[in-house]
C-alpha cells in the first residue's frame, strides 16, 4: 500500500479510518419525498427530444472517428461534447462518460472499450456547455440554485446524463438497453443519482464518487466543492434540506444494475467515508465489484499500477457481449 503520509493540508485525508471502518459506514436514511422527487424529474427528462446534432471535429485519432455533438437537455439547455466512433469493427454498445469538476478539454482517447459509441458530454455550466449565468468555478457552480431543489444545478446535470442516453439511442436505436455509464468524482456522484432511476443504462462504473452521505460530506474537512458548500452552510443552515435530496449514497441503494466502483482510502477532495457510503449502499446481489485505491485526487507511489489494473477491470466490465 502507498497511502500518502505527507500532504499540504491541515487535516488528515484518511480521517483516521481503516478499511474495515470504512466498509462499515452506511448511507443515511432517504429524506421524505426522495423517490417521488427523482421519479418526477426522470419522467420530465424522458419527455425531452434531445435533437442531437453532429459536426466534424478538429481532433483526430487513429482508433476513433471524432465528432462534435450538441444535444438538448431539460430547460432547453444545450449540451456540448464529443462522440467517438470506432474506426475498426461495428458499434454494438454505447457508453456515456462524465468528467470531474474541472470540466473536459477533450475526449479520453485511451478509454479501454471496443465496438462502442462513446459520448463525452460536458455537464451544464462547464466546458463546452458553459453559459454566463452558471459559473464554471467548482466552488460557485456547486452553489447554483442550491436553495431551491427544483432549480439546483446538480439536478440539471443528472438530467444532462439522462438526455445523453436519449441522444445515443436517437442516433443508434439498436443500442437501447446496451448503454453503460462511467463517471469520476463529480460525475461519479451525478452518475449514482442518475443510475438509480434510468433502467436504459445496463451497467455503471464510478470512481471516487462525491455527494455521498451528505451529513458527513458537510462536516468532514475537505477541499474543493465540499469545502465551498460547508462554508455556505455556515450562513445558510437549512441547506441540508436541499442536499438530502441529492445524496448519491441514498441513490446508490436504489441501483439495480451491475456496478464497478473504485473508492480511495485517502482523498482531500472527496472524503473517503463519503465515497465508501456510496459503495457500501449498493445491493449485494447484482454482480457489483468494489476496488479500493490508496488515494484519490492526489499523486502517490503505485498510482500508475493501480490505475492500470482498474483500466483492465473496466475493459472487461464494458466488454461487448
Amino acid at each position: 500500500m502507498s497511502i500518502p503520509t505527507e500532504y499540504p493540508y491541515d487535516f488528515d485525508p484518511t480521517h483516521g479510518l481503516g478499511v474495515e471502518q470504512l466498509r462499515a459506514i452506511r448511507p443515511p436514511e432517504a429524506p421524505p419525498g426522495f423517490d417521488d422527487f427523482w421519479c418526477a424529474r426522470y419522467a420530465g427528462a424522458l419527455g425531452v427530444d434531445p435533437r442531437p446534432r453532429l459536426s466534424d471535429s478538429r481532433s483526430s485519432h487513429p482508433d476513433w472517428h471524432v465528432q462534435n455533438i450538441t444535444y438538448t437537455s431539460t430547460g432547453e439547455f444545450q449540451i456540448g461534447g464529443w462522440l467517438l466512433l470506432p474506426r475498426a469493427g461495428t458499434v454494438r454498445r454505447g457508453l456515456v462518460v462524465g468528467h470531474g469538476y474541472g470540466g473536459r478539454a477533450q475526449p479520453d482517447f485511451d478509454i479501454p472499450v471496443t465496438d462502442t459509441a462513446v459520448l463525452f458530454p460536458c455537464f451544464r455550466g462547464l466546458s463546452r456547455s458553459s453559459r454566463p449565468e452558471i459559473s464554471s468555478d467548482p466552488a460557485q457552480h456547486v452553489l447554483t440554485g442550491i436553495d431551491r431543489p427544483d432549480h439546483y444545478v446538480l439536478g440539471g446535470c443528472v438530467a444532462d446524463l439522462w438526455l445523453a442516453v436519449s441522444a445515443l439511442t436517437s442516433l443508434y436505436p439498436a443500442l437501447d438497453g446496451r448503454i453503460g455509464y462511467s463517471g469520476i468524482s463529480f460525475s461519479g456522484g451525478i452518475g449514482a443519482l442518475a443510475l438509480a432511476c434510468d433502467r436504459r443504462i445496463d451497467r455503471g462504473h464510478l470512481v471516487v464518487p462525491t455527494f455521498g452521505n451528505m451529513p458527513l460530506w458537510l462536516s468532514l474537512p475537505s477541499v474543493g466543492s465540499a469545502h465551498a458548500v460547508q462554508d455556505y452552510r455556515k450562513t445558510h443552515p437549512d441547506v441540508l434540506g436541499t442536499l438530502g435530496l441529492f445524496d448519491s449514497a441514498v441513490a446508490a441503494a436504489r441501483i439495480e444494475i451491475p456496478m464497478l466502483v473504485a473508492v480511495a482510502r485517502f482523498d482531500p477532495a472527496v472524503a473517503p467515508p463519503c465515497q465508501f457510503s456510496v459503495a457500501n449502499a449498493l445491493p449485494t446481489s447484482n454482480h457489483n465489484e468494489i476496488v479500493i485505491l490508496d488515494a484519490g485526487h492526489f499523486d502517490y507511489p503505485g498510482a500508475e499500477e493501480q490505475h492500470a489494473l482498474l483500466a483492465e477491470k473496466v475493459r472487461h466490465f464494458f466488454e461487448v457481449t
Side-chain angles (χ1 to χ4, degrees), residues 9 14 23 41 190 255 275:
Y9 313 110
T14 71
R23 284 176 168 163
R41 294 189 73 93
I190 295 297
I255 296 176
Q275 299 180 32

Side-chain angles (χ1 to χ4, degrees), residues 84-317:
L84 299 188
L85 300 173
R87 290 187 180 274
T90 57
V91 173
R92 298 167 58 195
R93 279 194 59 84
L95 180 64
V96 177
V97 182
H99 56 77
Y101 237 143
R104 178 180 294 284
Q106 66 177 20
D108 296 329
F109 292 113
D110 59 352
I111 190 162
V113 296
T114 58
D115 294 342
T116 301
V118 189
L119 174 54
F120 295 87
C122 298
F123 293 110
R124 63 182 63 197
L126 302 170
S127 301
R128 286 193 164 188
S129 302
S130 62
R131 287 223 311 224
E133 66 268 27
I134 303 178
S135 175
S136 62
D137 177 357
Q140 294 300 314
H141 184 279
V142 74
L143 299 178
T144 304
I146 196 169
D147 293 311
R148 297 187 295 168
D150 288 331
H151 298 275
Y152 190 26
V153 71
L154 298 189
C157 293
V158 172
D160 300 340
L161 195 167
W162 290 331
L163 267 299
V165 176
S166 298
L168 266 183
T169 54
S170 175
L171 293 167
Y172 300 97
L175 295 183
D176 188 26
R178 299 179 61 80
I179 295 175
Y181 176 73
S182 177
I184 183 170
S185 189
F186 166 71
S187 65
I190 295 297
L193 292 164
L195 295 175
C197 298
D198 199 333
R199 301 297 181 260
R200 301 172 301 169
I201 301 173
D202 69 347
R203 53 191 49 228
H205 170 48
L206 309 178
V207 181
V208 296
T210 190
F211 309 131
N213 201 322
M214 284 297 181
L216 293 180
W217 193 75
L218 286 168
S219 59
L220 293 173
S222 303
V223 299
S225 61
H227 180 72
V229 178
Q230 290 170 6
D231 273 352
Y232 183 83
R233 190 191 185 197
K234 293 175 183 176
T235 54
H236 299 78
D238 295 335
V239 74
L240 185 58
T242 293
L243 293 177
L245 292 170
F246 293 85
D247 194 313
S248 60
V250 172
R254 290 151 169 78
I255 296 176
E256 298 179 353
I257 57 174
M259 296 290 293
L260 172 63
V261 180
V263 290
R265 292 189 56 190
F266 171 110
D267 195 320
V270 182
C274 301
Q275 299 180 32
F276 274 80
S277 291
V278 175
N280 297 343
L282 294 170
T284 58
S285 59
N286 59 358
H287 311 290
N288 298 321
E289 182 176 1
I290 309 302
V291 176
I292 300 177
L293 305 174
D294 288 340
H297 297 95
F298 198 86
D299 290 332
Y300 61 97
E304 185 174 344
E305 291 83 354
Q306 285 194 342
H307 285 277
L309 290 171
L310 180 59
E312 184 63 14
K313 288 181 180 291
V314 171
R315 185 180 71 80
H316 284 292
F317 186 68

